[in-house]
Amino acid sequence: MPSDLRRSNSEGIQMKLDMGQAWNSATELLGKNKDVVLIVAGVFIFLPTLALNLLVPGLEQPPANPEDTDAIVSALVETYQNYWWAFLASALVQAVGTLALLTLLTDTSRPTVGEALKQGGHGILPYLGTQILLGLGAALMIGLPIGLAVASGSSALITILAFVAIPAAVYVLIKTVLITPVIAIDKIYNPVAIIKRSWSLTSGNSLRLLGFFALIIIAMGILFMVINGILSVVLAAIGGQIQLIGGSIVSGLLNTGFAVIMLAVLAGIHRQLSGAATEDVSDTFT
């Protein structure tokens, strides 16, 4: 890769996402770090997910009446009200694990698992601050107008704002998708600077990123649905507590697999859009 492109973002040159290169970087990073990835993902993503599934009643069970939307929403609200602390604890543990995994995947100094976890803990407050800032922004720019439209009782206005809000939310999500790599890899800890860095890296690539993530999510969604469907039939035939525990384990494993793949993809995208040389992917772990 030409040297001027390696310095792309620092000099204002926009990088164009190569989806094939990003995917190859992701698979290479996973392949060369599978042992530590399995350990950290198992402890900090799989176990919290499993504990949440087993702790919160009915979390993994389909609604009794899928057509009763009001009952489903009411049940979800009650669940979050009663178990908010469990969801919060699980989210914090998984956030630390996520930041640690990104460090292990990309740090050329080859940190130990303990050092990576320390880095993950160091980044948790900036991560939370960034999420809060994004949440407040979404509430002001999207939630407030829709809330006012609902209060007005105008169906037409609600529909118009919904059509505007959904694409806007997707756009912001794409533009801020690299906040975790920015924290873990670039080691930027100011929430405003984190958002600006992610926004800058994704500049000119929003549609490419949207298409790339859509392809990955659809492909993995189909694969996971097939796996989950087959195992669900087997577990249903057994029944009882084994079905409940087994279903929670399967769900936790699939969620962990999805999370790990997406983290590797984000690392590959960040490496490419930040202007890192392609050969650095190999040099990092040789």
Side-chain angles (χ1 to χ4, degrees):
M1 182 178 292
S3 60
D4 59 336
L5 291 183
R6 297 179 193 180
R7 299 187 299 272
S8 61
N9 286 93
S10 62
E11 297 180 359
I13 302 172
Q14 290 185 356
M15 297 290 292
K16 293 300 181 183
L17 177 69
D18 183 326
M19 291 186 282
Q21 181 183 333
W23 179 256
N24 290 337
S25 296
T27 55
E28 185 172 6
L29 289 170
L30 282 177
K32 292 186 176 182
N33 296 274
K34 57 183 179 295
D35 293 335
V36 291
V37 166
L38 286 173
I39 293 171
V40 176
V43 173
F44 288 88
I45 298 180
F46 171 70
L47 288 181
T49 303
L50 177 61
L52 199 61
N53 290 340
L54 294 175
L55 176 66
V56 180
L59 191 62
E60 286 299 310
Q61 297 176 1
N65 185 4
E67 297 180 358
D68 192 347
T69 306
D70 292 338
I72 293 173
V73 172
S74 177
L76 286 174
V77 171
E78 184 179 357
T79 297
Y80 280 102
Q81 286 178 340
N82 293 335
Y83 294 94
W84 62 268
W85 53 272
F87 287 102
L88 178 61
S90 178
L92 289 175
V93 171
Q94 292 187 55
V96 171
T98 294
L99 294 170
L101 281 171
L102 283 169
T103 300
L104 289 169
L105 286 170
T106 61
D107 197 326
T108 57
S109 67
R110 301 300 300 273
T112 64
V113 171
E115 290 169 341
L117 289 173
K118 184 178 179 180
Q119 286 293 329
H122 187 61
I124 191 64
L125 288 180
Y127 174 82
L128 291 175
T130 304
Q131 294 295 339
I132 292 171
L133 192 60
L134 288 173
L136 290 174
L140 289 173
M141 292 186 294
I142 299 174
L144 182 60
I146 291 180
L148 292 174
V150 171
S152 71
S154 172
S155 300
L157 184 58
I158 294 171
T159 302
I160 293 172
L161 287 176
F163 274 108
V164 173
I166 293 173
V170 171
Y171 178 74
V172 172
L173 182 63
I174 292 296
K175 298 299 292 182
T176 58
V177 74
L178 294 179
I179 58 173
T180 45
V182 167
I183 296 171
I185 301 172
D186 295 333
K187 293 179 172 51
I188 297 174
Y189 300 123
N190 181 296
V192 175
I194 291 167
I195 294 172
K196 288 177 63 177
R197 172 65 171 165
S198 178
W199 207 281
S200 174
L201 286 174
T202 56
S203 179
N205 289 283
S206 299
L207 289 178
R208 287 184 177 86
L209 287 167
L210 179 60
F212 190 30
F213 287 124
L215 287 173
I216 294 173
I217 291 171
I218 290 171
M220 286 197 294
I222 293 172
L223 177 62
F224 289 176
M225 282 176 62
V226 171
I227 295 173
N228 188 57
I230 294 173
L231 294 178
S232 295
V233 171
V234 174
L235 292 170
I238 299 173
Q241 286 296 110
I242 294 179
Q243 180 183 2
L244 175 62
I245 297 173
S248 297
I249 292 173
V250 170
S251 175
L253 288 173
L254 293 178
N255 288 336
T256 302
F258 179 82
V260 168
I261 291 171
M262 290 304 296
L263 282 177
V265 167
L266 289 176
I269 291 172
H270 176 276
R271 179 180 293 276
Q272 186 181 150
L273 296 184
S274 64
T278 303
E279 57 267 24
D280 288 346
V281 177
S282 299
D283 294 343
T284 300
F285 302 104
T286 57

